[in-house]
Amino acid sequence: MIRVCHLYPDLLNLYGDRGNIIAFQQRCRWRDLPVQVDSLNLGEKVDFQKYDFVFLGGGSDREQTLVSVDLMKRRDEFAAAIEDGLVVLAICGGFQLLGSYFMSRNGENIPCLDVLDFYTKAGERRLVGNVAIEVELNGSSFKVVGFENHSGLTFLGNNKPLGRVLSGNGNNGRDGLEGVRYKNVFGSYLHGPLLPKNVRLTDYLIGLCLERRGIKKELKPLDDSFEKRACEIMLRRMGLPGR
Amino acid sequence: MAVRLKYAGVPADKVTTDENVTQAIKDTLNGSAGAAYLFSTYTALWPVQKIIKAITVEGGAAR
């Protein structure tokens, strides 16, 4: 059984971020891999060690503040599970929360979970639009598409990016980097939602969950023609060649 | 939308796709079905609104 924890689904769900959970769940089911999704809401107890995959979506400033206060109380358990190989996907506001701090426009540093080495600062304008990035996993690279809408500018320290920007802004519109990767943690600004249109990444996450449980199994191939076509259409709109 | 429907559990063989959105909307309006429902993803929302507006300006009926 793959156990999934959806963190704060009522508060963090922008641009259909919940679709990431649906995609992960369905692609497990279609392969007869049992999967269970639990939701964690403010104030509820959680044991991160019992989960294989944790998902955090994006939210507005108000929701992010509420979540931040709650998640801070569980910071050490969450950080320990990450060090232990917990698979995490964090989008936009959820991604920002994993960093060291968020610097507001008036220069105030709002502490974040500080489980990854990056920080975010408030930008002057919103970075909005379609994004394509080149991602490398297991030595092979492929294109990932999504939609970004953020004013926070993220700057990585020692952690690697998820990918390199081919079109769009990415973390800050300057350094050509998008998202973050540390151990089995993946952070990204890409809504869309990210996983349904980028099934190679989805399957990679499923594979990591199985591997963490000591299960070495080739994932059964699925008919991904709709997903591939959707991805290719988005790439074409951005003036990029297909995969 | 085809991806969305697939992940909502709609069998793939029940879904047809058409990259020409204008033509797809016109064909649907001209179709024999009694009622048609138009759902749009966020990406397609504004382009679809423009198309429907244009069709309305054309005279209310699809041509």
Side-chain angles (χ1 to χ4, degrees), chain A:
Chain A
M1 172 77 78
I2 296 178
R3 291 200 161 84
V4 177
C5 180
H6 188 177
L7 291 179
Y8 313 104
D10 293 345
L11 296 170
L12 301 182
N13 180 32
L14 278 183
Y15 302 111
D17 282 336
R18 195 175 67 92
N20 291 307
I21 289 286
I22 296 170
F24 186 95
Q25 199 174 15
Q26 287 288 53
R27 294 183 74 78
C28 287
R29 282 182 182 153
W30 289 332
R31 295 178 166 112
D32 301 318
L33 296 169
V35 59
Q36 181 190 311
V37 178
D38 296 334
S39 296
L40 177 82
N41 298 299
L42 291 179
E44 291 177 354
K45 282 187 177 171
V46 63
D47 174 8
F48 287 113
Q49 296 288 352
K50 80 173 193 186
Y51 288 104
D52 304 296
F53 179 50
V54 167
F55 174 71
L56 263 164
S60 69
D61 290 351
R62 179 189 161 273
E63 277 87 18
Q64 255 179 260
T65 306
L66 289 170
V67 164
S68 174
V69 170
D70 197 69
L71 206 48
M72 276 292 197
K73 295 174 196 161
R74 316 151 191 275
R75 188 256 168 218
D76 292 347
E77 292 82 358
F78 192 37
I82 284 172
E83 290 304 316
D84 196 33
L86 176 68
V87 182
V88 178
L89 176 65
I91 303 294
C92 198
F95 161 37
Q96 292 175 352
L97 279 174
L98 301 180
S100 313
Y101 60 89
F102 184 96
M103 191 197 290
S104 67
R105 274 199 197 143
N106 59 19
E108 187 194 350
N109 281 356
I110 301 159
C112 295
L113 292 174
D114 198 18
V115 289
L116 269 66
D117 184 16
F118 68 83
Y119 70 94
T120 302
K121 67 176 190 177
E124 297 292 314
R125 64 185 177 96
R126 293 201 76 79
L127 306 178
V128 187
N130 293 322
V131 191
I133 62 173
E134 185 93 29
V135 171
E136 195 184 311
L137 294 174
N138 281 345
S140 75
S141 63
F142 58 96
K143 295 183 183 87
V144 163
V145 297
F147 175 81
E148 63 182 339
N149 186 350
H150 56 105
S151 59
L153 307 176
T154 294
F155 297 91
L156 302 183
N158 286 320
N159 292 144
K160 289 178 182 166
L162 172 63
R164 297 195 173 269
V165 177
L166 300 171
S167 180
N169 294 286
N171 285 348
N172 50 55
R174 299 174 199 167
D175 60 18
L177 305 178
E178 206 293 318
V180 70
R181 177 153 186 209
Y182 171 72
K183 291 200 169 186
N184 290 341
V185 180
F186 299 78
S188 175
Y189 274 112
L190 270 58
H191 297 279
L194 176 65
L195 297 185
K197 268 200 287 270
N198 300 291
V199 289
R200 223 165 136 179
L201 181 60
T202 317
D203 288 351
Y204 186 76
L205 298 180
I206 294 169
L208 285 177
C209 291
L210 293 174
E211 208 175 284
R212 188 166 176 256
R213 286 199 164 257
I215 304 166
K216 294 220 167 193
K217 190 175 177 179
E218 279 285 307
L219 291 180
K220 192 170 84 182
L222 300 173
D223 178 0
D224 295 327
S225 41
F226 281 162
E227 293 89 334
K228 283 177 182 164
R229 204 161 146 213
C231 186
E232 277 164 12
I233 289 169
M234 291 311 295
L235 288 169
R236 225 186 300 148
R237 280 189 192 166
M238 287 180 263
L240 296 165
R243 3 203 82 219

Side-chain angles (χ1 to χ4, degrees), chain B residues 1 3 5-7 10 18 22 26-27 34 36 38 40 44 48 53-54 63:
Chain B
M1 185 54 82
V3 174
L5 292 172
K6 176 181 171 179
Y7 282 87
V10 176
D18 188 339
T22 308
K26 285 186 173 182
D27 288 349
L38 198 151
S40 170
V48 164
K53 251 186 178 173
R63 278 193 275 265

Side-chain angles (χ1 to χ4, degrees), chain B residues 22-46:
Chain B
T22 308
Q23 200 53 51
I25 291 173
K26 285 186 173 182
D27 288 349
T28 304
L29 290 172
N30 288 328
S32 56
Y37 298 89
L38 198 151
F39 296 95
S40 170
T41 60
Y42 187 83
T43 309
L45 187 63
W46 297 116

